PDB file of all heavy atoms in Angstrom:
ATOM      1  N   TYR A 118     249.632 204.671  93.930  1.00 84.00           N
ATOM      2  CA  TYR A 118     250.936 204.907  93.331  1.00 84.00           C
ATOM      3  C   TYR A 118     250.883 206.226  92.573  1.00 84.00           C
ATOM      4  O   TYR A 118     249.823 206.670  92.142  1.00 84.00           O
ATOM      5  CB  TYR A 118     251.315 203.780  92.366  1.00 84.00           C
ATOM      6  CG  TYR A 118     251.563 202.465  93.059  1.00 84.00           C
ATOM      7  CD1 TYR A 118     250.558 201.511  93.161  1.00 84.00           C
ATOM      8  CD2 TYR A 118     252.805 202.194  93.634  1.00 84.00           C
ATOM      9  CE1 TYR A 118     250.788 200.305  93.822  1.00 84.00           C
ATOM     10  CE2 TYR A 118     253.034 200.990  94.291  1.00 84.00           C
ATOM     11  CZ  TYR A 118     252.021 200.049  94.381  1.00 84.00           C
ATOM     12  OH  TYR A 118     252.244 198.880  95.031  1.00 84.00           O
ATOM     13  N   SER A 119     252.061 206.831  92.409  1.00 83.00           N
ATOM     14  CA  SER A 119     252.168 208.059  91.637  1.00 83.00           C
ATOM     15  C   SER A 119     253.448 207.977  90.811  1.00 83.00           C
ATOM     16  O   SER A 119     254.249 207.040  90.943  1.00 83.00           O
ATOM     17  CB  SER A 119     252.215 209.280  92.560  1.00 83.00           C
ATOM     18  OG  SER A 119     253.433 209.302  93.286  1.00 83.00           O
ATOM     19  N   LYS A 120     253.671 208.984  89.970  1.00 83.00           N
ATOM     20  CA  LYS A 120     254.860 209.012  89.129  1.00 83.00           C
ATOM     21  C   LYS A 120     256.135 209.041  89.959  1.00 83.00           C
ATOM     22  O   LYS A 120     257.219 208.720  89.469  1.00 83.00           O
ATOM     23  CB  LYS A 120     254.803 210.224  88.195  1.00 83.00           C
ATOM     24  CG  LYS A 120     255.854 210.216  87.093  1.00 83.00           C
ATOM     25  CD  LYS A 120     255.766 211.448  86.228  1.00 83.00           C
ATOM     26  CE  LYS A 120     256.869 211.469  85.180  1.00 83.00           C
ATOM     27  NZ  LYS A 120     256.841 212.712  84.376  1.00 83.00           N
ATOM     28  N   GLU A 121     256.020 209.419  91.242  1.00 83.00           N
ATOM     29  CA  GLU A 121     257.186 209.461  92.118  1.00 83.00           C
ATOM     30  C   GLU A 121     257.830 208.084  92.295  1.00 83.00           C
ATOM     31  O   GLU A 121     258.995 207.980  92.684  1.00 83.00           O
ATOM     32  CB  GLU A 121     256.791 210.009  93.486  1.00 83.00           C
ATOM     33  CG  GLU A 121     256.363 211.475  93.468  1.00 83.00           C
ATOM     34  CD  GLU A 121     255.911 211.957  94.831  1.00 83.00           C
ATOM     35  OE1 GLU A 121     255.959 211.140  95.786  1.00 83.00           O
ATOM     36  OE2 GLU A 121     255.513 213.117  94.944  1.00 83.00           O
ATOM     37  N   TYR A 122     257.080 207.020  92.001  1.00 84.00           N
ATOM     38  CA  TYR A 122     257.615 205.668  92.148  1.00 84.00           C
ATOM     39  C   TYR A 122     258.366 205.195  90.909  1.00 84.00           C
ATOM     40  O   TYR A 122     258.984 204.128  90.932  1.00 84.00           O
ATOM     41  CB  TYR A 122     256.489 204.684  92.474  1.00 84.00           C
ATOM     42  CG  TYR A 122     255.823 204.960  93.793  1.00 84.00           C
ATOM     43  CD1 TYR A 122     254.609 205.626  93.857  1.00 84.00           C
ATOM     44  CD2 TYR A 122     256.428 204.595  94.987  1.00 84.00           C
ATOM     45  CE1 TYR A 122     254.004 205.915  95.077  1.00 84.00           C
ATOM     46  CE2 TYR A 122     255.833 204.876  96.213  1.00 84.00           C
ATOM     47  CZ  TYR A 122     254.623 205.532  96.241  1.00 84.00           C
ATOM     48  OH  TYR A 122     254.033 205.812  97.450  1.00 84.00           O
ATOM     49  N   LEU A 123     258.319 205.994  89.823  1.00 87.00           N
ATOM     50  CA  LEU A 123     258.972 205.586  88.584  1.00 87.00           C
ATOM     51  C   LEU A 123     260.484 205.419  88.733  1.00 87.00           C
ATOM     52  O   LEU A 123     261.036 204.445  88.206  1.00 87.00           O
ATOM     53  CB  LEU A 123     258.635 206.579  87.467  1.00 87.00           C
ATOM     54  CG  LEU A 123     259.220 206.269  86.083  1.00 87.00           C
ATOM     55  CD1 LEU A 123     258.826 204.874  85.628  1.00 87.00           C
ATOM     56  CD2 LEU A 123     258.760 207.321  85.073  1.00 87.00           C
ATOM     57  N   PRO A 124     261.199 206.331  89.417  1.00 86.00           N
ATOM     58  CA  PRO A 124     262.645 206.123  89.550  1.00 86.00           C
ATOM     59  C   PRO A 124     263.030 204.773  90.157  1.00 86.00           C
ATOM     60  O   PRO A 124     264.072 204.206  89.799  1.00 86.00           O
ATOM     61  CB  PRO A 124     263.082 207.288  90.469  1.00 86.00           C
ATOM     62  CG  PRO A 124     262.101 208.371  90.156  1.00 86.00           C
ATOM     63  CD  PRO A 124     260.791 207.646  89.964  1.00 86.00           C
ATOM     64  N   THR A 125     262.196 204.251  91.045  1.00 84.00           N
ATOM     65  CA  THR A 125     262.485 202.941  91.630  1.00 84.00           C
ATOM     66  C   THR A 125     262.441 201.853  90.566  1.00 84.00           C
ATOM     67  O   THR A 125     263.289 200.958  90.531  1.00 84.00           O
ATOM     68  CB  THR A 125     261.473 202.617  92.744  1.00 84.00           C
ATOM     69  OG1 THR A 125     261.575 203.612  93.766  1.00 84.00           O
ATOM     70  CG2 THR A 125     261.748 201.249  93.341  1.00 84.00           C
ATOM     71  N   LEU A 126     261.465 201.929  89.674  1.00 84.00           N
ATOM     72  CA  LEU A 126     261.355 200.956  88.593  1.00 84.00           C
ATOM     73  C   LEU A 126     262.533 201.086  87.636  1.00 84.00           C
ATOM     74  O   LEU A 126     263.137 200.078  87.235  1.00 84.00           O
ATOM     75  CB  LEU A 126     260.034 201.167  87.836  1.00 84.00           C
ATOM     76  CG  LEU A 126     259.774 200.247  86.643  1.00 84.00           C
ATOM     77  CD1 LEU A 126     259.741 198.787  87.078  1.00 84.00           C
ATOM     78  CD2 LEU A 126     258.469 200.632  85.952  1.00 84.00           C
ATOM     79  N   ILE A 127     262.871 202.310  87.273  1.00 89.00           N
ATOM     80  CA  ILE A 127     264.002 202.549  86.391  1.00 89.00           C
ATOM     81  C   ILE A 127     265.272 201.984  87.020  1.00 89.00           C
ATOM     82  O   ILE A 127     266.094 201.346  86.352  1.00 89.00           O
ATOM     83  CB  ILE A 127     264.166 204.057  86.130  1.00 89.00           C
ATOM     84  CG1 ILE A 127     262.913 204.620  85.480  1.00 89.00           C
ATOM     85  CG2 ILE A 127     265.384 204.327  85.233  1.00 89.00           C
ATOM     86  CD1 ILE A 127     262.832 206.134  85.520  1.00 89.00           C
ATOM     87  N   HIS A 128     265.419 202.206  88.299  1.00 89.00           N
ATOM     88  CA  HIS A 128     266.576 201.735  89.065  1.00 89.00           C
ATOM     89  C   HIS A 128     266.750 200.220  88.923  1.00 89.00           C
ATOM     90  O   HIS A 128     267.836 199.741  88.562  1.00 89.00           O
ATOM     91  CB  HIS A 128     266.366 202.113  90.534  1.00 89.00           C
ATOM     92  CG  HIS A 128     267.426 201.605  91.459  1.00 89.00           C
ATOM     93  ND1 HIS A 128     268.174 202.440  92.260  1.00 89.00           N
ATOM     94  CD2 HIS A 128     267.854 200.344  91.743  1.00 89.00           C
ATOM     95  CE1 HIS A 128     269.019 201.726  92.971  1.00 89.00           C
ATOM     96  NE2 HIS A 128     268.836 200.441  92.689  1.00 89.00           N
ATOM     97  N   GLU A 129     265.713 199.471  89.209  1.00 83.00           N
ATOM     98  CA  GLU A 129     265.837 198.014  89.253  1.00 83.00           C
ATOM     99  C   GLU A 129     266.250 197.428  87.906  1.00 83.00           C
ATOM    100  O   GLU A 129     267.098 196.534  87.841  1.00 83.00           O
ATOM    101  CB  GLU A 129     264.533 197.378  89.739  1.00 83.00           C
ATOM    102  CG  GLU A 129     264.157 197.732  91.173  1.00 83.00           C
ATOM    103  CD  GLU A 129     265.201 197.341  92.197  1.00 83.00           C
ATOM    104  OE1 GLU A 129     266.063 196.497  91.897  1.00 83.00           O
ATOM    105  OE2 GLU A 129     265.175 197.901  93.299  1.00 83.00           O
ATOM    106  N   PHE A 130     265.688 197.916  86.809  1.00 85.00           N
ATOM    107  CA  PHE A 130     266.018 197.361  85.507  1.00 85.00           C
ATOM    108  C   PHE A 130     267.415 197.771  85.038  1.00 85.00           C
ATOM    109  O   PHE A 130     268.027 197.093  84.210  1.00 85.00           O
ATOM    110  CB  PHE A 130     264.966 197.767  84.470  1.00 85.00           C
ATOM    111  CG  PHE A 130     263.660 197.024  84.628  1.00 85.00           C
ATOM    112  CD1 PHE A 130     262.460 197.609  84.267  1.00 85.00           C
ATOM    113  CD2 PHE A 130     263.629 195.737  85.133  1.00 85.00           C
ATOM    114  CE1 PHE A 130     261.252 196.931  84.401  1.00 85.00           C
ATOM    115  CE2 PHE A 130     262.427 195.049  85.282  1.00 85.00           C
ATOM    116  CZ  PHE A 130     261.239 195.649  84.917  1.00 85.00           C
ATOM    117  N   ASN A 131     267.933 198.889  85.558  1.00 89.00           N
ATOM    118  CA  ASN A 131     269.300 199.286  85.211  1.00 89.00           C
ATOM    119  C   ASN A 131     270.317 198.233  85.630  1.00 89.00           C
ATOM    120  O   ASN A 131     271.360 198.076  84.988  1.00 89.00           O
ATOM    121  CB  ASN A 131     269.647 200.624  85.879  1.00 89.00           C
ATOM    122  CG  ASN A 131     269.376 201.810  84.990  1.00 89.00           C
ATOM    123  OD1 ASN A 131     269.804 201.862  83.844  1.00 89.00           O
ATOM    124  ND2 ASN A 131     268.659 202.784  85.509  1.00 89.00           N
ATOM    125  N   HIS A 132     270.023 197.523  86.711  1.00 87.00           N
ATOM    126  CA  HIS A 132     270.971 196.530  87.202  1.00 87.00           C
ATOM    127  C   HIS A 132     271.311 195.483  86.140  1.00 87.00           C
ATOM    128  O   HIS A 132     272.440 194.971  86.110  1.00 87.00           O
ATOM    129  CB  HIS A 132     270.415 195.839  88.448  1.00 87.00           C
ATOM    130  CG  HIS A 132     270.616 196.614  89.707  1.00 87.00           C
ATOM    131  ND1 HIS A 132     271.864 196.856  90.246  1.00 87.00           N
ATOM    132  CD2 HIS A 132     269.735 197.228  90.543  1.00 87.00           C
ATOM    133  CE1 HIS A 132     271.752 197.564  91.347  1.00 87.00           C
ATOM    134  NE2 HIS A 132     270.468 197.804  91.559  1.00 87.00           N
ATOM    135  N   SER A 133     270.375 195.177  85.271  1.00 83.00           N
ATOM    136  CA  SER A 133     270.606 194.148  84.259  1.00 83.00           C
ATOM    137  C   SER A 133     271.671 194.569  83.251  1.00 83.00           C
ATOM    138  O   SER A 133     272.283 193.717  82.597  1.00 83.00           O
ATOM    139  CB  SER A 133     269.302 193.852  83.511  1.00 83.00           C
ATOM    140  OG  SER A 133     268.315 193.398  84.399  1.00 83.00           O
ATOM    141  N   PHE A 134     271.889 195.868  83.116  1.00 89.00           N
ATOM    142  CA  PHE A 134     272.865 196.377  82.166  1.00 89.00           C
ATOM    143  C   PHE A 134     274.184 196.756  82.832  1.00 89.00           C
ATOM    144  O   PHE A 134     275.152 197.067  82.150  1.00 89.00           O
ATOM    145  CB  PHE A 134     272.294 197.617  81.455  1.00 89.00           C
ATOM    146  CG  PHE A 134     271.107 197.342  80.604  1.00 89.00           C
ATOM    147  CD1 PHE A 134     269.827 197.332  81.147  1.00 89.00           C
ATOM    148  CD2 PHE A 134     271.240 197.082  79.243  1.00 89.00           C
ATOM    149  CE1 PHE A 134     268.710 197.089  80.354  1.00 89.00           C
ATOM    150  CE2 PHE A 134     270.138 196.831  78.443  1.00 89.00           C
ATOM    151  CZ  PHE A 134     268.869 196.834  79.003  1.00 89.00           C
ATOM    152  N   ILE A 135     274.220 196.722  84.170  1.00 91.00           N
ATOM    153  CA  ILE A 135     275.374 197.211  84.908  1.00 91.00           C
ATOM    154  C   ILE A 135     276.138 196.110  85.647  1.00 91.00           C
ATOM    155  O   ILE A 135     277.364 196.016  85.558  1.00 91.00           O
ATOM    156  CB  ILE A 135     274.921 198.280  85.943  1.00 91.00           C
ATOM    157  CG1 ILE A 135     274.437 199.549  85.243  1.00 91.00           C
ATOM    158  CG2 ILE A 135     276.041 198.594  86.927  1.00 91.00           C
ATOM    159  CD1 ILE A 135     275.504 200.340  84.554  1.00 91.00           C
ATOM    160  N   ASN A 136     275.419 195.269  86.370  1.00 90.00           N
ATOM    161  CA  ASN A 136     276.068 194.375  87.336  1.00 90.00           C
ATOM    162  C   ASN A 136     277.083 193.413  86.720  1.00 90.00           C
ATOM    163  O   ASN A 136     278.089 193.072  87.348  1.00 90.00           O
ATOM    164  CB  ASN A 136     275.010 193.564  88.099  1.00 90.00           C
ATOM    165  CG  ASN A 136     274.234 194.414  89.086  1.00 90.00           C
ATOM    166  OD1 ASN A 136     274.230 195.638  89.018  1.00 90.00           O
ATOM    167  ND2 ASN A 136     273.547 193.764  90.001  1.00 90.00           N
ATOM    168  N   HIS A 137     276.849 192.970  85.503  1.00 89.00           N
ATOM    169  CA  HIS A 137     277.702 191.925  84.930  1.00 89.00           C
ATOM    170  C   HIS A 137     279.132 192.392  84.671  1.00 89.00           C
ATOM    171  O   HIS A 137     280.041 191.573  84.525  1.00 89.00           O
ATOM    172  CB  HIS A 137     277.093 191.378  83.637  1.00 89.00           C
ATOM    173  CG  HIS A 137     276.971 192.375  82.537  1.00 89.00           C
ATOM    174  ND1 HIS A 137     275.955 193.305  82.499  1.00 89.00           N
ATOM    175  CD2 HIS A 137     277.736 192.605  81.442  1.00 89.00           C
ATOM    176  CE1 HIS A 137     276.096 194.049  81.405  1.00 89.00           C
ATOM    177  NE2 HIS A 137     277.167 193.657  80.767  1.00 89.00           N
ATOM    178  N   PHE A 138     279.360 193.726  84.656  1.00 95.00           N
ATOM    179  CA  PHE A 138     280.715 194.212  84.414  1.00 95.00           C
ATOM    180  C   PHE A 138     281.659 193.906  85.576  1.00 95.00           C
ATOM    181  O   PHE A 138     282.882 193.978  85.428  1.00 95.00           O
ATOM    182  CB  PHE A 138     280.703 195.720  84.145  1.00 95.00           C
ATOM    183  CG  PHE A 138     280.061 196.090  82.838  1.00 95.00           C
ATOM    184  CD1 PHE A 138     278.959 196.927  82.797  1.00 95.00           C
ATOM    185  CD2 PHE A 138     280.553 195.585  81.638  1.00 95.00           C
ATOM    186  CE1 PHE A 138     278.359 197.265  81.597  1.00 95.00           C
ATOM    187  CE2 PHE A 138     279.964 195.917  80.426  1.00 95.00           C
ATOM    188  CZ  PHE A 138     278.867 196.755  80.406  1.00 95.00           C
ATOM    189  N   LEU A 139     281.111 193.562  86.730  1.00 95.00           N
ATOM    190  CA  LEU A 139     281.938 193.189  87.866  1.00 95.00           C
ATOM    191  C   LEU A 139     281.848 191.692  88.169  1.00 95.00           C
ATOM    192  O   LEU A 139     282.094 191.251  89.297  1.00 95.00           O
ATOM    193  CB  LEU A 139     281.555 194.018  89.096  1.00 95.00           C
ATOM    194  CG  LEU A 139     281.894 195.516  88.971  1.00 95.00           C
ATOM    195  CD1 LEU A 139     281.520 196.255  90.246  1.00 95.00           C
ATOM    196  CD2 LEU A 139     283.360 195.735  88.630  1.00 95.00           C
ATOM    197  N   ASP A 140     281.505 190.928  87.144  1.00 93.00           N
ATOM    198  CA  ASP A 140     281.524 189.472  87.233  1.00 93.00           C
ATOM    199  C   ASP A 140     282.951 189.016  86.919  1.00 93.00           C
ATOM    200  O   ASP A 140     283.451 189.213  85.805  1.00 93.00           O
ATOM    201  CB  ASP A 140     280.542 188.874  86.224  1.00 93.00           C
ATOM    202  CG  ASP A 140     280.443 187.364  86.311  1.00 93.00           C
ATOM    203  OD1 ASP A 140     281.407 186.718  86.773  1.00 93.00           O
ATOM    204  OD2 ASP A 140     279.405 186.816  85.892  1.00 93.00           O
ATOM    205  N   GLU A 141     283.621 188.439  87.904  1.00 93.00           N
ATOM    206  CA  GLU A 141     285.021 188.055  87.732  1.00 93.00           C
ATOM    207  C   GLU A 141     285.226 187.048  86.608  1.00 93.00           C
ATOM    208  O   GLU A 141     286.310 186.984  86.023  1.00 93.00           O
ATOM    209  CB  GLU A 141     285.558 187.483  89.047  1.00 93.00           C
ATOM    210  CG  GLU A 141     285.681 188.525  90.151  1.00 93.00           C
ATOM    211  CD  GLU A 141     286.232 187.942  91.432  1.00 93.00           C
ATOM    212  OE1 GLU A 141     286.377 186.705  91.495  1.00 93.00           O
ATOM    213  OE2 GLU A 141     286.521 188.715  92.355  1.00 93.00           O
ATOM    214  N   ASN A 142     284.218 186.263  86.301  1.00 93.00           N
ATOM    215  CA  ASN A 142     284.340 185.275  85.222  1.00 93.00           C
ATOM    216  C   ASN A 142     284.272 185.920  83.840  1.00 93.00           C
ATOM    217  O   ASN A 142     284.860 185.406  82.885  1.00 93.00           O
ATOM    218  CB  ASN A 142     283.247 184.213  85.352  1.00 93.00           C
ATOM    219  CG  ASN A 142     283.385 183.394  86.612  1.00 93.00           C
ATOM    220  OD1 ASN A 142     284.484 183.007  86.997  1.00 93.00           O
ATOM    221  ND2 ASN A 142     282.269 183.129  87.282  1.00 93.00           N
ATOM    222  N   LYS A 143     283.573 187.044  83.748  1.00 93.00           N
ATOM    223  CA  LYS A 143     283.407 187.701  82.448  1.00 93.00           C
ATOM    224  C   LYS A 143     284.383 188.855  82.239  1.00 93.00           C
ATOM    225  O   LYS A 143     284.887 189.056  81.131  1.00 93.00           O
ATOM    226  CB  LYS A 143     281.963 188.218  82.327  1.00 93.00           C
ATOM    227  CG  LYS A 143     280.904 187.129  82.312  1.00 93.00           C
ATOM    228  CD  LYS A 143     279.507 187.731  82.206  1.00 93.00           C
ATOM    229  CE  LYS A 143     278.438 186.660  82.183  1.00 93.00           C
ATOM    230  NZ  LYS A 143     277.063 187.235  82.104  1.00 93.00           N
ATOM    231  N   TYR A 144     284.643 189.613  83.301  1.00 96.00           N
ATOM    232  CA  TYR A 144     285.491 190.801  83.184  1.00 96.00           C
ATOM    233  C   TYR A 144     286.521 190.830  84.326  1.00 96.00           C
ATOM    234  O   TYR A 144     286.517 191.734  85.157  1.00 96.00           O
ATOM    235  CB  TYR A 144     284.634 192.073  83.225  1.00 96.00           C
ATOM    236  CG  TYR A 144     283.633 192.195  82.099  1.00 96.00           C
ATOM    237  CD1 TYR A 144     282.327 191.732  82.252  1.00 96.00           C
ATOM    238  CD2 TYR A 144     283.997 192.775  80.889  1.00 96.00           C
ATOM    239  CE1 TYR A 144     281.406 191.836  81.213  1.00 96.00           C
ATOM    240  CE2 TYR A 144     283.080 192.894  79.842  1.00 96.00           C
ATOM    241  CZ  TYR A 144     281.794 192.416  80.020  1.00 96.00           C
ATOM    242  OH  TYR A 144     280.881 192.529  78.984  1.00 96.00           O
ATOM    243  N   PRO A 145     287.416 189.854  84.364  1.00 96.00           N
ATOM    244  CA  PRO A 145     288.393 189.796  85.466  1.00 96.00           C
ATOM    245  C   PRO A 145     289.301 191.026  85.536  1.00 96.00           C
ATOM    246  O   PRO A 145     289.679 191.448  86.626  1.00 96.00           O
ATOM    247  CB  PRO A 145     289.194 188.524  85.162  1.00 96.00           C
ATOM    248  CG  PRO A 145     289.007 188.286  83.688  1.00 96.00           C
ATOM    249  CD  PRO A 145     287.610 188.755  83.392  1.00 96.00           C
ATOM    250  N   ASP A 146     289.637 191.601  84.387  1.00 96.00           N
ATOM    251  CA  ASP A 146     290.517 192.774  84.386  1.00 96.00           C
ATOM    252  C   ASP A 146     289.822 193.985  84.994  1.00 96.00           C
ATOM    253  O   ASP A 146     290.451 194.783  85.703  1.00 96.00           O
ATOM    254  CB  ASP A 146     290.968 193.101  82.958  1.00 96.00           C
ATOM    255  CG  ASP A 146     291.904 192.034  82.392  1.00 96.00           C
ATOM    256  OD1 ASP A 146     292.486 191.272  83.195  1.00 96.00           O
ATOM    257  OD2 ASP A 146     292.033 191.948  81.158  1.00 96.00           O
ATOM    258  N   TYR A 147     288.528 194.143  84.711  1.00 96.00           N
ATOM    259  CA  TYR A 147     287.767 195.252  85.297  1.00 96.00           C
ATOM    260  C   TYR A 147     287.766 195.142  86.821  1.00 96.00           C
ATOM    261  O   TYR A 147     287.992 196.128  87.534  1.00 96.00           O
ATOM    262  CB  TYR A 147     286.316 195.237  84.793  1.00 96.00           C
ATOM    263  CG  TYR A 147     286.113 195.719  83.375  1.00 96.00           C
ATOM    264  CD1 TYR A 147     287.175 196.149  82.591  1.00 96.00           C
ATOM    265  CD2 TYR A 147     284.837 195.734  82.814  1.00 96.00           C
ATOM    266  CE1 TYR A 147     286.976 196.583  81.297  1.00 96.00           C
ATOM    267  CE2 TYR A 147     284.622 196.177  81.519  1.00 96.00           C
ATOM    268  CZ  TYR A 147     285.691 196.596  80.752  1.00 96.00           C
ATOM    269  OH  TYR A 147     285.487 197.032  79.475  1.00 96.00           O
ATOM    270  N   VAL A 148     287.514 193.931  87.295  1.00 96.00           N
ATOM    271  CA  VAL A 148     287.434 193.702  88.741  1.00 96.00           C
ATOM    272  C   VAL A 148     288.782 193.977  89.397  1.00 96.00           C
ATOM    273  O   VAL A 148     288.867 194.679  90.419  1.00 96.00           O
ATOM    274  CB  VAL A 148     286.979 192.261  89.039  1.00 96.00           C
ATOM    275  CG1 VAL A 148     287.049 191.969  90.536  1.00 96.00           C
ATOM    276  CG2 VAL A 148     285.559 192.040  88.524  1.00 96.00           C
ATOM    277  N   LYS A 149     289.842 193.462  88.810  1.00 96.00           N
ATOM    278  CA  LYS A 149     291.178 193.615  89.373  1.00 96.00           C
ATOM    279  C   LYS A 149     291.604 195.079  89.427  1.00 96.00           C
ATOM    280  O   LYS A 149     292.191 195.536  90.414  1.00 96.00           O
ATOM    281  CB  LYS A 149     292.180 192.809  88.544  1.00 96.00           C
ATOM    282  CG  LYS A 149     293.596 192.846  89.087  1.00 96.00           C
ATOM    283  CD  LYS A 149     294.526 191.984  88.235  1.00 96.00           C
ATOM    284  CE  LYS A 149     295.958 192.029  88.761  1.00 96.00           C
ATOM    285  NZ  LYS A 149     296.875 191.200  87.923  1.00 96.00           N
ATOM    286  N   GLU A 150     291.292 195.830  88.360  1.00 96.00           N
ATOM    287  CA  GLU A 150     291.732 197.219  88.288  1.00 96.00           C
ATOM    288  C   GLU A 150     290.928 198.123  89.217  1.00 96.00           C
ATOM    289  O   GLU A 150     291.459 199.079  89.785  1.00 96.00           O
ATOM    290  CB  GLU A 150     291.612 197.723  86.843  1.00 96.00           C
ATOM    291  CG  GLU A 150     292.236 199.088  86.632  1.00 96.00           C
ATOM    292  CD  GLU A 150     292.237 199.519  85.177  1.00 96.00           C
ATOM    293  OE1 GLU A 150     291.794 198.727  84.313  1.00 96.00           O
ATOM    294  OE2 GLU A 150     292.671 200.646  84.911  1.00 96.00           O
ATOM    295  N   LEU A 151     289.656 197.821  89.388  1.00 97.00           N
ATOM    296  CA  LEU A 151     288.774 198.697  90.165  1.00 97.00           C
ATOM    297  C   LEU A 151     288.793 198.403  91.655  1.00 97.00           C
ATOM    298  O   LEU A 151     288.554 199.295  92.483  1.00 97.00           O
ATOM    299  CB  LEU A 151     287.343 198.563  89.626  1.00 97.00           C
ATOM    300  CG  LEU A 151     286.254 199.457  90.222  1.00 97.00           C
ATOM    301  CD1 LEU A 151     286.659 200.931  90.162  1.00 97.00           C
ATOM    302  CD2 LEU A 151     284.942 199.234  89.486  1.00 97.00           C
ATOM    303  N   GLU A 152     289.117 197.173  92.022  1.00 97.00           N
ATOM    304  CA  GLU A 152     288.964 196.745  93.423  1.00 97.00           C
ATOM    305  C   GLU A 152     289.676 197.618  94.459  1.00 97.00           C
ATOM    306  O   GLU A 152     289.060 197.988  95.472  1.00 97.00           O
ATOM    307  CB  GLU A 152     289.413 195.290  93.576  1.00 97.00           C
ATOM    308  CG  GLU A 152     289.201 194.757  94.988  1.00 97.00           C
ATOM    309  CD  GLU A 152     289.482 193.273  95.101  1.00 97.00           C
ATOM    310  OE1 GLU A 152     289.994 192.676  94.126  1.00 97.00           O
ATOM    311  OE2 GLU A 152     289.179 192.712  96.166  1.00 97.00           O
ATOM    312  N   PRO A 153     290.953 197.995  94.285  1.00 96.00           N
ATOM    313  CA  PRO A 153     291.618 198.773  95.342  1.00 96.00           C
ATOM    314  C   PRO A 153     290.928 200.101  95.633  1.00 96.00           C
ATOM    315  O   PRO A 153     290.659 200.429  96.800  1.00 96.00           O
ATOM    316  CB  PRO A 153     293.029 198.981  94.777  1.00 96.00           C
ATOM    317  CG  PRO A 153     293.238 197.853  93.832  1.00 96.00           C
ATOM    318  CD  PRO A 153     291.894 197.633  93.199  1.00 96.00           C
ATOM    319  N   ALA A 154     290.633 200.880  94.591  1.00 96.00           N
ATOM    320  CA  ALA A 154     289.992 202.183  94.796  1.00 96.00           C
ATOM    321  C   ALA A 154     288.586 202.020  95.345  1.00 96.00           C
ATOM    322  O   ALA A 154     288.170 202.745  96.254  1.00 96.00           O
ATOM    323  CB  ALA A 154     289.956 202.952  93.476  1.00 96.00           C
ATOM    324  N   ALA A 155     287.839 201.064  94.793  1.00 96.00           N
ATOM    325  CA  ALA A 155     286.464 200.858  95.231  1.00 96.00           C
ATOM    326  C   ALA A 155     286.409 200.357  96.670  1.00 96.00           C
ATOM    327  O   ALA A 155     285.485 200.691  97.418  1.00 96.00           O
ATOM    328  CB  ALA A 155     285.766 199.875  94.300  1.00 96.00           C
ATOM    329  N   THR A 156     287.391 199.577  97.063  1.00 96.00           N
ATOM    330  CA  THR A 156     287.457 199.101  98.445  1.00 96.00           C
ATOM    331  C   THR A 156     287.670 200.270  99.400  1.00 96.00           C
ATOM    332  O   THR A 156     287.060 200.332 100.481  1.00 96.00           O
ATOM    333  CB  THR A 156     288.589 198.071  98.609  1.00 96.00           C
ATOM    334  OG1 THR A 156     288.326 196.943  97.766  1.00 96.00           O
ATOM    335  CG2 THR A 156     288.689 197.603 100.056  1.00 96.00           C
ATOM    336  N   ASP A 157     288.534 201.208  99.008  1.00 94.00           N
ATOM    337  CA  ASP A 157     288.745 202.403  99.836  1.00 94.00           C
ATOM    338  C   ASP A 157     287.446 203.194  99.994  1.00 94.00           C
ATOM    339  O   ASP A 157     287.112 203.646 101.102  1.00 94.00           O
ATOM    340  CB  ASP A 157     289.809 203.299  99.203  1.00 94.00           C
ATOM    341  CG  ASP A 157     291.219 202.778  99.426  1.00 94.00           C
ATOM    342  OD1 ASP A 157     291.388 201.877 100.277  1.00 94.00           O
ATOM    343  OD2 ASP A 157     292.143 203.260  98.751  1.00 94.00           O
TER     344      ASP A 157
END
């Protein structure tokens, strides 16, 4: 392994701080507002 693999590790842990914003149970307004543009 080398330092080149660090971005992959950083990437995976970022998901814990990001993904929940598109949880319809927690942030339904975010999902509703973003869906049309994101679908395009």
Side-chain angles (χ1 to χ4, degrees):
Y118 292 96
S119 69
K120 191 181 177 183
E121 294 177 1
Y122 296 100
L123 182 55
T125 299
L126 179 60
I127 300 165
H128 176 122
E129 296 301 341
F130 286 150
N131 267 309
H132 278 294
S133 300
F134 295 86
I135 292 291
N136 288 17
H137 63 281
F138 291 121
L139 292 182
D140 183 335
E141 292 181 352
N142 295 318
K143 295 179 180 179
Y144 298 93
D146 292 340
Y147 285 0
V148 173
K149 183 178 179 181
E150 188 174 357
L151 184 54
E152 184 173 8
T156 299
D157 283 347

